[in-house]
Amino acid sequence: MRKKIIAGNWKMNKTPAETVALINELKPLVVTEDADVIFCVPAISLTTALEAAKGTNIEIGAQNMYFEESGAFTGEIAPNMLTSIGIKYVIIGHSERREYFAESDVTVNKKVLKAFEHGITPIICCGESLTQREQGITIDWIRQQIKIAFLSVTADQAKTAVIAYEPIWAIGTGKVATTEQAEEVCKAIRECIAEIYDEATAAAIRIQYGGSVTAASAAELFSQADIDGGLVGGASLKADFGKIVNYK
Ligand code: 13P
């Protein structure tokens, strides 16, 4: 039985002081034993967030990480900088990183391998554009993203990974995918993992849906057979996130 995993992606929002205030506001609302709860905050607030979340069920995650150990990579964050402060999760290959910061399937794969090397759980993002959906190539596109992201990843590592299926047209648009659309793709992702590895790996890996998830849509989405939780943007910055975490 897979444990649900519900993560907030705060994106480029909240100063360190605002981060503390929001964690204090949300911490009584996100108490649950049924799901892992992760707040992925901006890098500058990671330490502050860890401190604010101490003694709660909230885990703090990063939104990005570089695939080299150290060196002349101005502005980047090394994996051991994350592990040294106690970070266990990192979002990799969000569509905004792919669109605005030129991340590719190849760099996503490098980052995924590096995260595993350091014992950090990657939340690996995939998703199609509206054009791709209209062209009927959604599943082919997602399968390609998954196959490249998992190149050279072992089955034991893959079992612990998190995949976030986020249709780009549903991100920040208020246009949530239908339950059928979300489940269809999440199921196809699990089948792709079974093809690359085996049934046991496919059964273990956790797959989230992301894209305009709200308190109103969470329950139906998260009760689908292949949807193990969500990666939530806008609604993770509000008290609503408590309702999403406690969706049942
Ligand atoms: P929204 O929930 O704001 O649509 O964002 C989704 C997302 O991109 C989470 O990573």
Side-chain angles (χ1 to χ4, degrees):
M1 191 58 191
R2 295 182 293 271
K3 190 174 186 188
K4 296 281 192 230
I5 178 161
I6 301 173
N9 175 7
W10 287 22
K11 308 192 180 185
M12 197 176 74
N13 291 293
K14 306 292 173 188
T15 64
E18 289 166 348
T19 296
V20 174
L22 185 55
I23 290 177
N24 285 337
E25 182 192 339
L26 291 181
K27 65 186 176 189
L29 308 177
V30 298
V31 175
T32 178
E33 288 187 354
D34 297 338
D36 292 329
V37 178
I38 328 285
F39 288 10
C40 298
V41 305
I44 199 161
S45 299
L46 286 169
T47 313
T48 326
L50 282 164
E51 194 60 39
K54 224 177 229 168
T56 75
N57 63 318
I58 302 166
E59 292 269 8
I60 303 301
Q63 297 176 11
N64 184 29
M65 182 200 87
Y66 201 49
F67 53 75
E68 295 288 352
E69 295 291 335
S70 65
F73 304 102
T74 302
E76 292 295 324
I77 296 163
N80 79 340
M81 295 174 187
L82 297 180
T83 54
S84 69
I85 59 168
I87 296 296
K88 301 194 190 87
Y89 293 89
V90 62
I91 298 173
I92 300 288
H94 191 280
S95 60
E96 288 149 18
R97 301 275 337 153
R98 294 178 190 252
E99 186 177 349
Y100 307 128
F101 304 98
E103 292 205 11
S104 66
D105 288 337
V106 172
T107 58
V108 167
N109 175 241
K110 287 183 180 177
K111 291 181 176 192
V112 167
L113 289 170
K114 193 50 92 176
F116 279 124
E117 198 184 303
H118 285 264
I120 307 172
T121 300
I123 299 175
I124 305 160
C125 300
C126 61
E128 82 287 3
S129 66
L130 187 57
T131 310
Q132 288 164 333
R133 176 158 285 272
E134 286 171 352
Q135 288 171 334
I137 60 166
T138 296
I139 303 287
D140 290 338
W141 176 260
I142 303 287
R143 282 172 56 86
Q144 171 161 314
Q145 287 188 318
I146 295 297
K147 285 186 176 178
I148 301 174
F150 282 83
L151 279 174
S152 304
V153 173
T154 68
D156 281 346
Q157 290 171 333
K159 280 182 183 136
T160 68
V162 180
I163 297 173
Y165 166 55
E166 300 204 304
I168 296 167
W169 48 271
I171 295 177
T173 55
K175 208 172 152 187
V176 63
T178 66
T179 312
E180 292 72 28
Q181 287 171 327
E183 169 61 14
E184 183 196 16
V185 178
C186 291
K187 184 166 183 273
I189 292 171
R190 203 175 299 285
E191 286 167 359
C192 184
I193 294 293
E195 274 172 47
I196 302 171
Y197 301 101
D198 47 45
E199 290 297 334
T201 307
I205 200 163
R206 293 190 288 179
I207 305 175
Q208 299 172 315
Y209 168 78
S212 297
V213 174
T214 61
S217 56
E220 202 178 309
L221 285 163
F222 299 173
S223 58
Q224 299 305 300
D226 292 292
I227 303 181
D228 305 312
L231 183 57
V232 183
S236 73
L237 297 166
K238 301 186 281 195
D240 250 23
F241 194 57
K243 293 193 191 133
I244 293 173
V245 166
N246 290 294
Y247 64 93
K248 278 188 203 156

